[in-house]
Amino acid sequence: MNDIMKETLEHKHLAHLEALQAAYDRLLATHGFDGVLIYSGHPQRHFADDQHASFATYGHFMHWVPLHGLDHSWLLVRAGQRPKLQLHAPTDFWHLGTTLPDEAWVDAFEIARVDTPTPPGLPAGRYAVLGDVDEQTARSLGAELNPPTLTQALDEGRVRKSAYEIDCLREANRRAIHGHRAARDAFFDGGAELDIQLAYLGASRQRESDLPYQSIVGLNQHAAVLHYQHYELVAEADHRSLLIDAGHRYRGYAADITRTWAGGDASDAFAGLIEGVTTIQHNLIREMGPGVDYPTLHARMHQGLGELLGELGVVRCSAPAAVEQGITRAFCPHGLGHLLGLQVHDVAGRQTADGTALPPPAEHPALRLTRTLEAGMVVTMEPGCYVIPMLLDPLRETPAGGDIDWAAVEALAPHGGVRIEDNVLVTDQGAENLTPTL
Ligand code: GLY
Ligand code: MN
Ligand code: MN
């Protein structure tokens, strides 16, 4: 991002803060509060140790303050008043002191630098305290801890992104793509999973603890493990497949991108599966727009998978029959995607704007987004197709098993699976893909 773009981003950030203040003013009045105190959170210490786990700052705190990783700090928001940021800045020669960037947003806050992690005292009135705060602290403040209706309303305020937030998500994507290119090259150079992860981190210029989620880097069968959590140190002898699901954060905002590559030892059918899943994703993105029901898109993904599995000769029945018998669900047990923002699985995906619960359909329990799309939402679009024996094997004994070509399944199994994931903004006219092409 160059200086002119940064200046524009800073202006957009100020407009974002102004709109946020107006939204909080309205909500505080509606819910009868004089203010909210938002805690950034803090990292957990390992038991009986002096080392800490990695840490993500609370989303509602970062909605205001664009400092991912800031801990033990507090933000007091009151109607019509400049927000007060109590910054934890201990006198500590073991660590580098807390500093704020030379950016315009800093002047929008009244800032107090304090040595202690204890919360600021609250003025007289009714306050809510939000975040990972214990009940005793809330009691000592005389504040209500995470009141559900207020929290739900604030969550809803994160669903439609401001121009500033969209720029941040776009930049997170741009940075992540540098990593994805290097990861692809490391795969074609014969790297082990760890080599691919290190290539990703190096090219996207980030340390592991700053990632929005642990990268999923699966070679061959590991590509079928949806949240595969290891990095093999030794290169695979066969270069069949790489599935890499890896992101980036920019000013707290997350990118969440997956690519799947076929290596020199891949079958034609697997290459066809990658192409087919990519086409399904492109077609679904074209269908996006305000007023489009996301669960309907999810259902269309299953229809598309039924057709693709038929074309590849994996399934012998019609696409509707493959969906109806649960065959496509066994090949893709996750949802089409989710809201994206300050959290990779962002808040409020399963509620209406007024807070009414929108649970996922019983046959698709993993669907994280059950809403109707609105302009300003940023969502992931991530169709997938995997050979997961734990899910497919039980079909062998059912009538659906007779509609599956098990030899074709077994030929695909050593490749693991495919997921193609982009981050897409819903616009007034339709949708804009924020993920650059590789
Ligand atoms: N990276 C996790 C997901 O795609 O939802
Ligand atoms: Mn992902
Ligand atoms: Mn995702």
Side-chain angles (χ1 to χ4, degrees):
M1 189 164 278
N2 63 35
D3 281 352
I4 294 172
M5 284 167 74
K6 192 152 178 262
E7 198 183 317
T8 315
L9 187 76
E10 288 191 17
H11 288 133
K12 287 181 185 172
H13 193 179
L14 293 179
H16 166 83
L17 290 175
E18 220 169 280
L20 202 51
Q21 181 73 55
Y24 268 62
D25 288 356
R26 278 195 304 276
L27 285 179
L28 290 174
T30 306
H31 293 266
F33 285 96
D34 293 292
V36 285
L37 182 64
I38 310 175
Y39 182 44
S40 66
H42 59 266
Q44 297 299 317
R45 200 171 59 196
H46 301 313
F47 182 67
D49 200 340
D50 64 355
Q51 301 296 305
H52 292 86
S54 62
F55 157 72
T57 306
Y58 183 40
H60 285 299
F61 187 95
M62 287 195 294
H63 207 192
W64 293 86
V65 180
L67 299 175
H68 178 250
L70 191 64
D71 58 88
H72 291 107
S73 295
W74 300 86
L75 178 68
L76 179 61
V77 182
R78 285 170 296 171
Q81 304 210 28
R82 204 144 70 113
K84 267 189 175 176
L85 173 60
Q86 178 178 297
L87 198 63
H88 186 225
T91 314
D92 170 9
F93 53 77
W94 295 103
H95 300 101
L96 190 65
T98 310
T99 53
L100 290 175
D102 181 17
E103 290 179 352
W105 66 265
V106 173
D107 294 332
F109 293 81
E110 185 184 324
I111 293 176
R113 300 171 64 89
V114 302
D115 211 349
T116 91
T118 44
L122 293 175
R126 183 178 175 219
Y127 286 84
V129 59
L130 305 181
D132 188 9
V133 175
D134 59 63
E135 283 184 12
Q136 199 187 330
T137 304
R139 257 199 311 277
S140 71
L141 286 162
E144 293 168 45
L145 180 57
N146 295 316
T149 51
L150 179 65
T151 307
Q152 175 276 315
L154 293 175
D155 286 352
E156 185 61 27
R158 281 171 43 191
V159 169
R160 286 154 296 273
K161 269 57 183 182
S162 65
Y164 161 74
E165 294 178 290
I166 292 164
D167 278 5
C168 290
L169 288 159
R170 198 189 304 279
E171 180 65 11
N173 266 264
R174 195 187 67 78
R175 293 176 182 213
I177 280 298
H178 289 299
H180 276 275
R181 287 193 189 112
R184 174 197 58 194
D185 295 347
F187 167 59
F188 286 115
D189 286 347
E193 289 168 355
L194 183 70
D195 300 316
I196 296 167
Q197 161 76 338
L198 294 176
Y200 179 82
L201 293 172
S204 58
R205 308 293 297 154
Q206 54 187 330
R207 60 194 289 179
E208 209 166 46
S209 57
D210 285 340
L211 290 166
Y213 56 93
Q214 289 304 310
S215 311
I216 298 161
V217 181
L219 290 174
N220 301 337
Q221 283 95 332
H222 290 160
V225 183
L226 298 180
H227 285 173
Y228 174 62
Q229 70 276 41
H230 302 294
Y231 305 111
E232 282 287 347
L233 309 187
V234 180
E236 296 278 321
D238 295 319
H239 298 117
R240 288 186 295 270
S241 57
L242 164 67
L243 185 152
I244 172 164
D245 182 343
H248 207 294
R249 267 190 200 276
Y250 183 69
R251 297 169 85 92
Y253 290 86
D256 176 13
I257 301 170
T258 309
R259 288 292 177 270
T260 310
W261 302 104
D265 299 320
S267 68
D268 289 347
F270 184 70
L273 191 64
I274 295 179
E275 203 182 307
V277 172
T278 306
T279 303
I280 289 172
Q281 193 232 32
H282 290 173
N283 290 342
L284 290 173
I285 292 174
R286 269 197 290 278
E287 288 186 39
M288 291 172 69
V292 173
D293 181 50
Y294 196 81
T296 302
L297 293 180
H298 174 83
R300 296 240 169 93
M301 168 183 78
H302 278 280
Q303 177 70 22
L305 289 173
E307 287 162 13
L308 176 61
L309 290 167
E311 282 160 24
L312 294 172
V314 178
V315 164
R316 299 189 194 97
C317 58
S318 69
V323 174
E324 209 262 317
Q325 297 185 91
I327 294 175
T328 57
R329 281 205 305 282
F331 279 98
C332 182
H334 61 69
L336 173 60
H338 47 85
L339 292 171
L340 183 69
L342 289 162
Q343 291 164 219
V344 64
H345 299 148
D346 213 5
V347 289
R350 288 174 170 175
Q351 64 181 41
T352 59
D354 68 4
T356 308
L358 276 180
E363 64 279 23
H364 299 287
L367 184 59
R368 294 177 193 273
L369 177 53
T370 51
R371 302 179 62 134
T372 298
L373 295 178
E374 296 170 52
M377 286 181 173
V378 175
V379 306
T380 66
M381 293 294 279
E382 49 182 305
C385 190
Y386 317 82
V387 178
I388 304 174
M390 200 188 300
L391 299 178
L392 285 166
D393 283 347
L395 294 181
R396 287 179 192 263
E397 311 309 324
T398 69
D403 285 333
I404 296 174
D405 181 334
W406 291 99
V409 171
E410 274 144 36
L412 277 176
H415 304 79
V418 175
R419 180 162 65 256
I420 305 292
E421 177 176 25
D422 284 354
N423 304 164
V424 184
L425 167 70
V426 183
T427 62
D428 288 334
Q429 293 77 33
E432 180 194 343
N433 195 336
L434 301 179
T435 307
T437 50
L438 252 69

